Amino acid sequence: MDNDAARHELIDALALVQEQFADLAAVEEERAALSSAATRADGTVTVTVDCDGVVIHTAVSETYLDDHDLADLGRHITGAAQDAARDIEQKVAELLAPLAERRERMPSLSDIVEGAPDIRDLLSAAVPQQARRFNSGGEPDDFPTVRSAR
C-alpha cells in the first residue's frame, strides 16, 4: 500500500474512532438515565433498579398482607429485584449493540501502520463493563449484585 492510500485509510479509521467516542458519550448519558421496575406478589411488591442493576427503590403495598404471608416478602422482593436487574441488563445491551457492531467493523490499524494497535482493542476498553457481561447468546454471564441505596 502506498503512503497516500495508507494516509487516507488512516484518516478514515481515525474519523470512525472519533465518531465512536462521540456516540459513546451520548449512549452513556442515555444509559445513566435508564431504570427498570418489576413487580411480584400480584403487583403488591415493586422494586426499581438503576442502570447498573442497583436497587434504588422498593415499595410494598399496604394490601400485601391481605393475600400474602409476611414470611414470603423477602422472596418476592428478591425475585422482583432480579427481574428488574435482568430487564435493565437487556436494555443496556440493546443500547450498546450499535456501538459494538461498529467497533467490529473497524479496521485494524496494524493493517495500515505496521506495529500499530488494533482500534477495536482500544475501543473495547471504553465500553462500560456492564455491556461486556453478556455472553455470545445474549444471556447474562452472572447476576448483578442487588444492593439497597442509602
Side-chain angles (χ1 to χ4, degrees):
M1 177 181 307
D2 68 12
N3 283 342
D4 283 339
R7 182 173 40 248
H8 289 295
E9 202 168 325
L10 182 58
I11 289 169
D12 290 344
L14 292 176
L16 282 173
V17 170
Q18 186 176 21
E19 183 180 333
Q20 184 81 347
F21 276 114
D23 288 350
L24 182 61
V27 166
E28 177 55 28
E29 195 171 303
E30 284 182 58
R31 186 190 78 81
L34 289 176
S35 66
S36 181
T39 61
R40 288 284 179 107
D42 305 316
T44 59
V45 174
T46 303
V47 176
T48 304
V49 299
D50 67 10
C51 65
D52 295 317
V54 175
V55 172
I56 57 174
H57 185 265
T58 302
V60 179
S61 170
E62 292 177 12
T63 63
Y64 173 82
L65 291 175
D66 292 349
D67 297 317
H68 304 282
D69 293 329
L70 184 60
D72 294 330
L73 182 58
R75 182 174 52 82
H76 291 301
I77 291 172
T78 301
Q82 289 173 340
D83 292 347
R86 273 191 293 275
D87 183 58
I88 202 70
E89 291 272 358
Q90 189 61 40
K91 286 179 181 179
V92 168
E94 289 170 6
L95 185 65
L96 294 173
L99 292 176
E101 289 170 10
R102 184 190 304 144
R103 186 182 71 239
E104 291 303 315
R105 292 191 316 263
M106 289 188 176
S108 173
L109 274 183
S110 61
D111 291 343
I112 303 168
V113 178
E114 189 175 327
D118 189 332
I119 293 174
R120 294 171 296 234
D121 292 341
L122 297 173
L123 290 175
S124 67
V127 175
Q129 180 66 28
Q130 188 174 22
R132 290 183 248 144
R133 290 180 49 182
F134 277 80
N135 61 33
S136 60
E139 294 295 319
D141 290 330
D142 58 353
F143 288 102
T145 302
V146 178
R147 290 178 230 120
S148 173
R150 293 185 190 236

